[in-house]
Amino acid sequence: MEMTSAVASLAALAHEGRLAAFRQLVQAGGAGLAAGELARRLDMLPNTLSTNLGILAQAGLVTSQREGRSIIYRAHYDAMGELLAYLVEDCCAGSPEICAPLAKVASGCCAA
């Protein structure tokens, strides 16, 4: 990931509503969520949610797909992984104990 892509992703997430929407989509998994359901869960006006999802999509963090009358939004896990990898790429700097807490979190939430 390039720095400009990382900055765009971080800027998209640097808003309470967008971060909440992204977290909901991450939690929803591969099935994603319909825009209406996401708006209900977040207690957010549909036009506000649409703007926020557009910004997240422009940053490459979410994808959308029309299914019937609904638009289903999904977190783009590869982009999320690239951003996280970019942020911790040089984390250890020769001192593995620096990243040990991150590894513990990742192994706890991502264990199969």
Side-chain angles (χ1 to χ4, degrees):
M1 172 173 271
E2 297 177 9
M3 184 180 293
T4 55
S5 297
V7 169
S9 295
L10 292 169
L13 293 171
H15 178 276
E16 187 176 331
R18 291 191 294 269
L19 182 58
F22 184 71
R23 288 175 54 98
Q24 282 289 314
L25 293 174
V26 168
Q27 292 170 10
L33 289 171
E37 175 61 20
L38 186 55
R40 281 188 289 281
R41 288 185 183 192
L42 296 172
D43 193 26
M44 189 179 291
L45 294 173
N47 60 336
T48 302
L49 178 64
S50 179
T51 299
N52 286 333
L53 289 171
I55 292 168
L56 290 167
Q58 188 173 9
L61 293 169
V62 300
T63 61
S64 62
Q65 179 180 3
R66 180 168 289 283
E67 291 185 10
R69 296 178 63 186
S70 297
I71 298 177
I72 306 299
Y73 288 88
R74 293 176 178 87
H76 189 246
Y77 291 101
D78 289 343
M80 181 179 75
E82 288 174 17
L83 177 60
L84 292 171
Y86 177 83
L87 291 172
V88 299
E89 188 173 280
D90 299 317
C91 177
C92 295
S95 303
E97 68 277 2
I98 295 171
C99 288
L102 293 174
K104 185 176 180 181
V105 169
S107 66
C109 72
C110 301

